[in-house]
Amino acid sequence: SGYGLPGRRRFQRRNRYCAGQPWAFAAGCPFGARWGAEVARKAIATEWPDQVLVNVNFPAVDPDAVTGIAVVPHGLRKIGDVLEERLDPRGRTYFWIGTSRTEEAVQGTDTDVSAIAEGRITVTPLHLDLNHAAAIQSLRGAFAK
């Protein structure tokens, strides 16, 4: 079981900010006050398997303009073609990819990307095993020769 926690208690949230703090939990943040507890309570009350976490995204709209909560698969979108060299606080170089994000959805219309664009809060269960079993078998065959 990932992280040593029961499967139904693992969450992932994106770093969206309200008043300089992560907005789902920031004091005085309207999203946390209006939607955060409801989403968390419903998700925690639901059992899900080990190695699964729940990703919750809030749309960038006023909390009263939210059009619903959607349980949808993870979508893909093009993050941009810009590669920007930056320095971290310790002076080490790193590269930031995709500073010019586009809203171009690459995968389907019923995903977190499209739901967020429609003003819905998204709840997406994600499996922690990122391995692609079929490709592993295929590559094993190719490299065994």
Short mmCIF file of all heavy atoms in Angstrom, two decimals, residues 81-141:
data_model
loop_
_atom_site.label_atom_id
_atom_site.label_comp_id
_atom_site.label_asym_id
_atom_site.label_seq_id
_atom_site.Cartn_x
_atom_site.Cartn_y
_atom_site.Cartn_z
N ASP A 81 5.75 24.77 -26.00
CA ASP A 81 7.01 24.41 -26.63
C ASP A 81 8.20 25.19 -26.07
O ASP A 81 9.31 25.05 -26.56
CB ASP A 81 6.92 24.68 -28.14
CG ASP A 81 5.88 23.82 -28.80
OD1 ASP A 81 5.72 22.66 -28.39
OD2 ASP A 81 5.20 24.32 -29.72
N VAL A 82 7.97 26.00 -25.07
CA VAL A 82 9.03 26.85 -24.53
C VAL A 82 9.81 26.09 -23.46
O VAL A 82 9.24 25.49 -22.56
CB VAL A 82 8.43 28.14 -23.92
CG1 VAL A 82 9.51 28.98 -23.27
CG2 VAL A 82 7.72 28.94 -25.01
N LEU A 83 11.12 26.10 -23.57
CA LEU A 83 12.01 25.52 -22.57
C LEU A 83 12.79 26.68 -21.98
O LEU A 83 13.54 27.36 -22.67
CB LEU A 83 12.95 24.51 -23.23
CG LEU A 83 13.86 23.72 -22.32
CD1 LEU A 83 13.04 22.83 -21.39
CD2 LEU A 83 14.81 22.87 -23.15
N GLU A 84 12.58 26.94 -20.69
CA GLU A 84 13.17 28.12 -20.05
C GLU A 84 14.19 27.70 -19.00
O GLU A 84 13.88 26.93 -18.10
CB GLU A 84 12.04 28.92 -19.39
CG GLU A 84 12.46 30.25 -18.85
CD GLU A 84 11.24 31.00 -18.33
OE1 GLU A 84 10.32 31.27 -19.12
OE2 GLU A 84 11.23 31.30 -17.13
N GLU A 85 15.40 28.22 -19.11
CA GLU A 85 16.44 27.93 -18.12
C GLU A 85 16.26 28.86 -16.93
O GLU A 85 16.10 30.06 -17.08
CB GLU A 85 17.83 28.14 -18.73
CG GLU A 85 18.96 27.73 -17.83
CD GLU A 85 20.32 27.80 -18.50
OE1 GLU A 85 20.37 27.87 -19.75
OE2 GLU A 85 21.33 27.78 -17.79
N ARG A 86 16.28 28.27 -15.70
CA ARG A 86 16.09 29.04 -14.47
C ARG A 86 17.11 28.61 -13.43
O ARG A 86 17.78 27.60 -13.59
CB ARG A 86 14.69 28.82 -13.91
CG ARG A 86 13.57 29.31 -14.81
CD ARG A 86 12.24 29.10 -14.15
NE ARG A 86 11.13 29.61 -14.96
CZ ARG A 86 9.89 29.61 -14.57
NH1 ARG A 86 9.55 29.16 -13.39
NH2 ARG A 86 8.95 30.08 -15.36
N LEU A 87 17.16 29.39 -12.35
CA LEU A 87 18.01 29.03 -11.21
C LEU A 87 17.14 28.78 -9.99
O LEU A 87 16.22 29.56 -9.71
CB LEU A 87 19.00 30.16 -10.88
CG LEU A 87 20.13 30.41 -11.87
CD1 LEU A 87 20.96 31.62 -11.43
CD2 LEU A 87 21.02 29.18 -11.97
N ASP A 88 17.44 27.69 -9.26
CA ASP A 88 16.69 27.43 -8.05
C ASP A 88 17.28 28.28 -6.92
O ASP A 88 18.29 28.97 -7.12
CB ASP A 88 16.66 25.93 -7.72
CG ASP A 88 17.99 25.36 -7.23
OD1 ASP A 88 18.92 26.13 -6.91
OD2 ASP A 88 18.09 24.13 -7.14
N PRO A 89 16.69 28.30 -5.73
CA PRO A 89 17.19 29.14 -4.64
C PRO A 89 18.63 28.86 -4.22
O PRO A 89 19.28 29.72 -3.64
CB PRO A 89 16.23 28.84 -3.48
CG PRO A 89 14.96 28.42 -4.15
CD PRO A 89 15.41 27.67 -5.38
N ARG A 90 19.13 27.68 -4.54
CA ARG A 90 20.52 27.34 -4.21
C ARG A 90 21.49 27.65 -5.35
O ARG A 90 22.67 27.30 -5.28
CB ARG A 90 20.62 25.86 -3.84
CG ARG A 90 19.88 25.55 -2.56
CD ARG A 90 20.06 24.12 -2.17
NE ARG A 90 19.37 23.87 -0.93
CZ ARG A 90 18.84 22.73 -0.58
NH1 ARG A 90 18.96 21.69 -1.38
NH2 ARG A 90 18.22 22.59 0.57
N GLY A 91 20.97 28.27 -6.40
CA GLY A 91 21.83 28.67 -7.51
C GLY A 91 22.06 27.59 -8.54
O GLY A 91 22.89 27.74 -9.43
N ARG A 92 21.33 26.48 -8.46
CA ARG A 92 21.48 25.39 -9.43
C ARG A 92 20.55 25.63 -10.61
O ARG A 92 19.41 26.06 -10.45
CB ARG A 92 21.16 24.04 -8.78
CG ARG A 92 22.17 23.68 -7.68
CD ARG A 92 21.83 22.38 -7.05
NE ARG A 92 20.51 22.50 -6.41
CZ ARG A 92 20.02 21.66 -5.52
NH1 ARG A 92 20.70 20.60 -5.17
NH2 ARG A 92 18.84 21.86 -4.98
N THR A 93 21.05 25.30 -11.79
CA THR A 93 20.28 25.46 -13.01
C THR A 93 19.25 24.34 -13.14
O THR A 93 19.56 23.19 -12.85
CB THR A 93 21.21 25.44 -14.23
OG1 THR A 93 22.15 26.52 -14.11
CG2 THR A 93 20.44 25.61 -15.53
N TYR A 94 18.05 24.70 -13.58
CA TYR A 94 17.04 23.71 -13.94
C TYR A 94 16.27 24.27 -15.13
O TYR A 94 16.41 25.43 -15.49
CB TYR A 94 16.11 23.36 -12.77
CG TYR A 94 15.16 24.46 -12.36
CD1 TYR A 94 13.85 24.50 -12.85
CD2 TYR A 94 15.54 25.46 -11.48
CE1 TYR A 94 12.97 25.51 -12.47
CE2 TYR A 94 14.67 26.47 -11.09
CZ TYR A 94 13.39 26.48 -11.59
OH TYR A 94 12.52 27.47 -11.22
N PHE A 95 15.49 23.42 -15.76
CA PHE A 95 14.72 23.83 -16.92
C PHE A 95 13.24 23.70 -16.64
O PHE A 95 12.78 22.68 -16.14
CB PHE A 95 15.10 23.02 -18.16
CG PHE A 95 16.49 23.31 -18.62
CD1 PHE A 95 17.57 22.59 -18.14
CD2 PHE A 95 16.73 24.35 -19.50
CE1 PHE A 95 18.85 22.87 -18.53
CE2 PHE A 95 18.01 24.65 -19.91
CZ PHE A 95 19.07 23.91 -19.42
N TRP A 96 12.48 24.76 -16.96
CA TRP A 96 11.04 24.78 -16.79
C TRP A 96 10.43 24.58 -18.17
O TRP A 96 10.73 25.31 -19.10
CB TRP A 96 10.61 26.13 -16.21
CG TRP A 96 9.18 26.17 -15.83
CD1 TRP A 96 8.14 26.67 -16.56
CD2 TRP A 96 8.61 25.68 -14.61
NE1 TRP A 96 6.96 26.53 -15.88
CE2 TRP A 96 7.23 25.92 -14.67
CE3 TRP A 96 9.14 25.07 -13.47
CZ2 TRP A 96 6.37 25.56 -13.65
CZ3 TRP A 96 8.28 24.72 -12.45
CH2 TRP A 96 6.92 24.97 -12.54
N ILE A 97 9.59 23.58 -18.29
CA ILE A 97 9.02 23.23 -19.59
C ILE A 97 7.59 23.74 -19.67
O ILE A 97 6.80 23.55 -18.75
CB ILE A 97 9.02 21.71 -19.79
CG1 ILE A 97 10.45 21.16 -19.70
CG2 ILE A 97 8.39 21.34 -21.13
CD1 ILE A 97 10.53 19.66 -19.66
N GLY A 98 7.26 24.39 -20.77
CA GLY A 98 5.87 24.72 -21.04
C GLY A 98 5.35 25.98 -20.41
O GLY A 98 4.24 26.01 -19.92
N THR A 99 6.14 27.04 -20.42
CA THR A 99 5.66 28.29 -19.84
C THR A 99 4.56 28.93 -20.69
O THR A 99 3.88 29.82 -20.22
CB THR A 99 6.81 29.31 -19.68
OG1 THR A 99 7.43 29.52 -20.94
CG2 THR A 99 7.83 28.80 -18.69
N SER A 100 4.39 28.44 -21.90
CA SER A 100 3.33 28.98 -22.76
C SER A 100 2.26 27.92 -22.98
O SER A 100 2.04 27.47 -24.09
CB SER A 100 3.91 29.43 -24.10
OG SER A 100 4.47 28.33 -24.78
N ARG A 101 1.60 27.51 -21.91
CA ARG A 101 0.58 26.48 -22.01
C ARG A 101 -0.52 26.88 -22.98
O ARG A 101 -0.88 28.05 -23.07
CB ARG A 101 -0.07 26.23 -20.66
CG ARG A 101 0.76 25.41 -19.76
CD ARG A 101 -0.03 25.00 -18.56
NE ARG A 101 0.77 24.04 -17.83
CZ ARG A 101 0.30 23.26 -16.90
NH1 ARG A 101 -0.96 23.34 -16.55
NH2 ARG A 101 1.07 22.41 -16.30
N THR A 102 -1.02 25.88 -23.64
CA THR A 102 -2.18 26.11 -24.51
C THR A 102 -3.36 25.35 -23.93
O THR A 102 -3.19 24.47 -23.11
CB THR A 102 -1.91 25.60 -25.94
OG1 THR A 102 -1.82 24.18 -25.91
CG2 THR A 102 -0.63 26.18 -26.51
N GLU A 103 -4.53 25.69 -24.33
CA GLU A 103 -5.72 24.99 -23.86
C GLU A 103 -6.12 23.88 -24.81
O GLU A 103 -7.19 23.32 -24.71
CB GLU A 103 -6.88 25.99 -23.68
CG GLU A 103 -6.60 27.00 -22.59
CD GLU A 103 -6.27 26.35 -21.24
OE1 GLU A 103 -6.94 25.37 -20.85
OE2 GLU A 103 -5.33 26.82 -20.59
N GLU A 104 -5.23 23.55 -25.74
CA GLU A 104 -5.50 22.53 -26.73
C GLU A 104 -5.56 21.15 -26.06
O GLU A 104 -4.56 20.61 -25.62
CB GLU A 104 -4.37 22.56 -27.78
CG GLU A 104 -4.40 21.47 -28.79
CD GLU A 104 -3.16 21.48 -29.67
OE1 GLU A 104 -2.44 22.51 -29.70
OE2 GLU A 104 -2.90 20.46 -30.30
N ALA A 105 -6.74 20.58 -25.95
CA ALA A 105 -6.89 19.25 -25.38
C ALA A 105 -6.43 18.23 -26.40
O ALA A 105 -6.75 18.33 -27.57
CB ALA A 105 -8.34 18.99 -24.98
N VAL A 106 -5.67 17.26 -25.96
CA VAL A 106 -5.14 16.25 -26.86
C VAL A 106 -5.92 14.95 -26.72
O VAL A 106 -5.89 14.10 -27.58
CB VAL A 106 -3.65 16.01 -26.56
CG1 VAL A 106 -3.03 15.03 -27.53
CG2 VAL A 106 -2.88 17.32 -26.58
N GLN A 107 -6.65 14.78 -25.64
CA GLN A 107 -7.33 13.51 -25.40
C GLN A 107 -8.79 13.74 -25.01
O GLN A 107 -9.09 14.25 -23.94
CB GLN A 107 -6.62 12.76 -24.27
CG GLN A 107 -7.30 11.46 -23.89
CD GLN A 107 -6.74 10.91 -22.61
OE1 GLN A 107 -6.40 11.66 -21.71
NE2 GLN A 107 -6.64 9.62 -22.52
N GLY A 108 -9.69 13.38 -25.87
CA GLY A 108 -11.11 13.34 -25.57
C GLY A 108 -11.73 14.62 -25.02
O GLY A 108 -11.07 15.62 -24.80
N THR A 109 -13.04 14.54 -24.82
CA THR A 109 -13.76 15.69 -24.30
C THR A 109 -14.28 15.47 -22.89
O THR A 109 -14.65 16.41 -22.23
CB THR A 109 -14.94 16.04 -25.21
OG1 THR A 109 -15.78 14.88 -25.34
CG2 THR A 109 -14.47 16.47 -26.59
N ASP A 110 -14.31 14.23 -22.41
CA ASP A 110 -14.82 13.96 -21.07
C ASP A 110 -13.64 13.67 -20.14
O ASP A 110 -13.48 12.55 -19.65
CB ASP A 110 -15.80 12.78 -21.10
CG ASP A 110 -16.57 12.65 -19.79
OD1 ASP A 110 -16.69 13.67 -19.07
OD2 ASP A 110 -17.03 11.54 -19.48
N THR A 111 -12.80 14.68 -19.92
CA THR A 111 -11.61 14.54 -19.08
C THR A 111 -11.55 15.69 -18.09
O THR A 111 -12.36 16.62 -18.16
CB THR A 111 -10.32 14.56 -19.93
OG1 THR A 111 -10.17 15.87 -20.50
CG2 THR A 111 -10.34 13.51 -21.03
N ASP A 112 -10.56 15.67 -17.21
CA ASP A 112 -10.40 16.78 -16.27
C ASP A 112 -10.11 18.09 -17.00
O ASP A 112 -10.56 19.14 -16.58
CB ASP A 112 -9.35 16.47 -15.20
CG ASP A 112 -7.95 16.22 -15.74
OD1 ASP A 112 -7.79 15.99 -16.96
OD2 ASP A 112 -7.01 16.21 -14.92
N VAL A 113 -9.40 18.02 -18.11
CA VAL A 113 -9.08 19.24 -18.86
C VAL A 113 -10.36 19.90 -19.37
O VAL A 113 -10.57 21.10 -19.19
CB VAL A 113 -8.12 18.92 -20.04
CG1 VAL A 113 -7.89 20.16 -20.89
CG2 VAL A 113 -6.79 18.39 -19.52
N SER A 114 -11.24 19.12 -19.97
CA SER A 114 -12.47 19.71 -20.51
C SER A 114 -13.43 20.12 -19.39
O SER A 114 -14.09 21.15 -19.49
CB SER A 114 -13.16 18.74 -21.47
OG SER A 114 -13.51 17.54 -20.82
N ALA A 115 -13.50 19.33 -18.31
CA ALA A 115 -14.40 19.67 -17.20
C ALA A 115 -13.98 20.97 -16.52
O ALA A 115 -14.83 21.80 -16.18
CB ALA A 115 -14.46 18.53 -16.20
N ILE A 116 -12.69 21.16 -16.31
CA ILE A 116 -12.20 22.41 -15.72
C ILE A 116 -12.55 23.58 -16.63
O ILE A 116 -12.98 24.63 -16.17
CB ILE A 116 -10.67 22.33 -15.47
CG1 ILE A 116 -10.37 21.44 -14.28
CG2 ILE A 116 -10.05 23.71 -15.29
CD1 ILE A 116 -10.77 22.01 -12.94
N ALA A 117 -12.38 23.40 -17.96
CA ALA A 117 -12.71 24.47 -18.90
C ALA A 117 -14.20 24.82 -18.85
O ALA A 117 -14.58 25.95 -19.14
CB ALA A 117 -12.31 24.06 -20.32
N GLU A 118 -15.04 23.85 -18.43
CA GLU A 118 -16.47 24.07 -18.31
C GLU A 118 -16.88 24.56 -16.92
O GLU A 118 -18.07 24.67 -16.63
CB GLU A 118 -17.22 22.77 -18.64
CG GLU A 118 -17.04 22.34 -20.08
CD GLU A 118 -17.45 20.89 -20.32
OE1 GLU A 118 -17.88 20.20 -19.36
OE2 GLU A 118 -17.34 20.45 -21.46
N GLY A 119 -15.90 24.82 -16.05
CA GLY A 119 -16.19 25.36 -14.73
C GLY A 119 -16.53 24.34 -13.67
O GLY A 119 -17.07 24.68 -12.63
N ARG A 120 -16.21 23.05 -13.93
CA ARG A 120 -16.50 22.02 -12.94
C ARG A 120 -15.27 21.68 -12.12
O ARG A 120 -14.14 21.80 -12.59
CB ARG A 120 -17.00 20.75 -13.64
CG ARG A 120 -18.34 20.95 -14.33
CD ARG A 120 -18.87 19.68 -14.93
NE ARG A 120 -18.12 19.38 -16.16
CZ ARG A 120 -18.17 18.20 -16.78
NH1 ARG A 120 -18.88 17.22 -16.29
NH2 ARG A 120 -17.48 18.03 -17.89
N ILE A 121 -15.48 21.30 -10.88
CA ILE A 121 -14.41 20.75 -10.04
C ILE A 121 -14.20 19.32 -10.52
O ILE A 121 -15.17 18.61 -10.81
CB ILE A 121 -14.83 20.75 -8.56
CG1 ILE A 121 -15.00 22.18 -8.06
CG2 ILE A 121 -13.83 19.98 -7.70
CD1 ILE A 121 -15.66 22.29 -6.70
N THR A 122 -12.96 18.89 -10.64
CA THR A 122 -12.71 17.53 -11.11
C THR A 122 -12.13 16.66 -10.01
O THR A 122 -11.32 17.11 -9.21
CB THR A 122 -11.77 17.50 -12.33
OG1 THR A 122 -10.50 18.03 -11.96
CG2 THR A 122 -12.35 18.29 -13.49
N VAL A 123 -12.57 15.43 -10.00
CA VAL A 123 -12.08 14.39 -9.09
C VAL A 123 -11.62 13.25 -9.99
O VAL A 123 -12.41 12.69 -10.74
CB VAL A 123 -13.20 13.92 -8.14
CG1 VAL A 123 -12.70 12.82 -7.23
CG2 VAL A 123 -13.74 15.09 -7.33
N THR A 124 -10.32 12.95 -9.94
CA THR A 124 -9.74 11.96 -10.83
C THR A 124 -8.93 10.94 -10.04
O THR A 124 -7.90 11.28 -9.46
CB THR A 124 -8.82 12.63 -11.87
OG1 THR A 124 -9.57 13.61 -12.59
CG2 THR A 124 -8.23 11.63 -12.84
N PRO A 125 -9.39 9.68 -10.00
CA PRO A 125 -8.58 8.65 -9.36
C PRO A 125 -7.40 8.29 -10.27
O PRO A 125 -7.58 8.09 -11.47
CB PRO A 125 -9.54 7.47 -9.19
CG PRO A 125 -10.68 7.74 -10.10
CD PRO A 125 -10.67 9.19 -10.46
N LEU A 126 -6.21 8.26 -9.69
CA LEU A 126 -4.99 7.96 -10.44
C LEU A 126 -4.32 6.73 -9.84
O LEU A 126 -4.23 6.60 -8.62
CB LEU A 126 -4.03 9.14 -10.41
CG LEU A 126 -4.55 10.45 -10.98
CD1 LEU A 126 -3.56 11.57 -10.69
CD2 LEU A 126 -4.80 10.32 -12.47
N HIS A 127 -3.81 5.86 -10.69
CA HIS A 127 -3.11 4.67 -10.22
C HIS A 127 -1.63 4.99 -10.14
O HIS A 127 -1.07 5.58 -11.06
CB HIS A 127 -3.36 3.51 -11.19
CG HIS A 127 -2.97 2.20 -10.64
ND1 HIS A 127 -1.72 1.68 -10.79
CD2 HIS A 127 -3.67 1.31 -9.90
CE1 HIS A 127 -1.66 0.50 -10.19
NE2 HIS A 127 -2.85 0.26 -9.63
N LEU A 128 -0.99 4.61 -9.05
CA LEU A 128 0.42 4.95 -8.85
C LEU A 128 1.37 4.13 -9.70
O LEU A 128 2.53 4.50 -9.87
CB LEU A 128 0.79 4.79 -7.37
CG LEU A 128 0.08 5.76 -6.43
CD1 LEU A 128 0.42 5.45 -4.99
CD2 LEU A 128 0.42 7.19 -6.76
N ASP A 129 0.93 3.00 -10.23
CA ASP A 129 1.78 2.17 -11.07
C ASP A 129 1.78 2.75 -12.48
O ASP A 129 0.82 2.60 -13.23
CB ASP A 129 1.28 0.72 -11.08
CG ASP A 129 2.19 -0.19 -11.88
OD1 ASP A 129 3.17 0.29 -12.50
OD2 ASP A 129 1.92 -1.41 -11.90
N LEU A 130 2.85 3.41 -12.84
CA LEU A 130 2.94 4.05 -14.16
C LEU A 130 3.57 3.15 -15.22
O LEU A 130 3.81 3.57 -16.34
CB LEU A 130 3.76 5.35 -14.04
CG LEU A 130 3.18 6.41 -13.10
CD1 LEU A 130 4.11 7.62 -13.06
CD2 LEU A 130 1.79 6.81 -13.52
N ASN A 131 3.84 1.91 -14.84
CA ASN A 131 4.43 0.97 -15.80
C ASN A 131 3.43 0.60 -16.88
O ASN A 131 2.24 0.48 -16.62
CB ASN A 131 4.88 -0.30 -15.08
CG ASN A 131 5.98 -0.01 -14.10
OD1 ASN A 131 7.02 0.50 -14.47
ND2 ASN A 131 5.74 -0.30 -12.84
N HIS A 132 3.92 0.38 -18.08
CA HIS A 132 3.08 -0.06 -19.18
C HIS A 132 3.44 -1.51 -19.47
O HIS A 132 4.46 -1.80 -20.11
CB HIS A 132 3.29 0.82 -20.41
CG HIS A 132 2.27 0.62 -21.46
ND1 HIS A 132 2.33 -0.40 -22.38
CD2 HIS A 132 1.13 1.30 -21.72
CE1 HIS A 132 1.28 -0.33 -23.17
NE2 HIS A 132 0.54 0.70 -22.79
N ALA A 133 2.63 -2.45 -18.96
CA ALA A 133 2.95 -3.87 -18.99
C ALA A 133 3.20 -4.39 -20.40
O ALA A 133 4.16 -5.14 -20.63
CB ALA A 133 1.83 -4.66 -18.31
N ALA A 134 2.37 -4.01 -21.35
CA ALA A 134 2.54 -4.51 -22.73
C ALA A 134 3.87 -4.03 -23.32
O ALA A 134 4.57 -4.80 -23.99
CB ALA A 134 1.37 -4.07 -23.59
N ALA A 135 4.23 -2.78 -23.08
CA ALA A 135 5.50 -2.26 -23.61
C ALA A 135 6.69 -2.93 -22.94
O ALA A 135 7.72 -3.16 -23.58
CB ALA A 135 5.56 -0.74 -23.44
N ILE A 136 6.57 -3.24 -21.65
CA ILE A 136 7.65 -3.95 -20.96
C ILE A 136 7.91 -5.29 -21.64
O ILE A 136 9.06 -5.65 -21.93
CB ILE A 136 7.33 -4.13 -19.47
CG1 ILE A 136 7.42 -2.79 -18.75
CG2 ILE A 136 8.26 -5.16 -18.82
CD1 ILE A 136 6.93 -2.82 -17.31
N GLN A 137 6.83 -6.04 -21.91
CA GLN A 137 6.99 -7.34 -22.57
C GLN A 137 7.59 -7.19 -23.96
O GLN A 137 8.49 -7.94 -24.34
CB GLN A 137 5.64 -8.07 -22.63
CG GLN A 137 5.12 -8.49 -21.28
CD GLN A 137 6.13 -9.33 -20.51
OE1 GLN A 137 6.77 -10.23 -21.02
NE2 GLN A 137 6.29 -8.99 -19.22
N SER A 138 7.12 -6.22 -24.70
CA SER A 138 7.63 -5.98 -26.05
C SER A 138 9.11 -5.64 -26.03
O SER A 138 9.91 -6.18 -26.81
CB SER A 138 6.83 -4.87 -26.70
OG SER A 138 7.35 -4.56 -27.97
N LEU A 139 9.50 -4.75 -25.12
CA LEU A 139 10.91 -4.35 -25.04
C LEU A 139 11.78 -5.47 -24.51
O LEU A 139 12.94 -5.60 -24.93
CB LEU A 139 11.04 -3.09 -24.16
CG LEU A 139 10.54 -1.82 -24.84
CD1 LEU A 139 10.40 -0.70 -23.83
CD2 LEU A 139 11.50 -1.42 -25.96
N ARG A 140 11.28 -6.26 -23.59
CA ARG A 140 12.05 -7.42 -23.13
C ARG A 140 12.39 -8.32 -24.29
O ARG A 140 13.51 -8.82 -24.40
CB ARG A 140 11.28 -8.19 -22.06
CG ARG A 140 11.38 -7.58 -20.70
CD ARG A 140 10.68 -8.44 -19.66
NE ARG A 140 10.79 -7.84 -18.35
CZ ARG A 140 9.94 -8.02 -17.37
NH1 ARG A 140 8.90 -8.84 -17.53
NH2 ARG A 140 10.12 -7.43 -16.21
N GLY A 141 11.41 -8.54 -25.16
CA GLY A 141 11.65 -9.36 -26.34
C GLY A 141 12.70 -8.74 -27.25
O GLY A 141 13.58 -9.43 -27.76
#
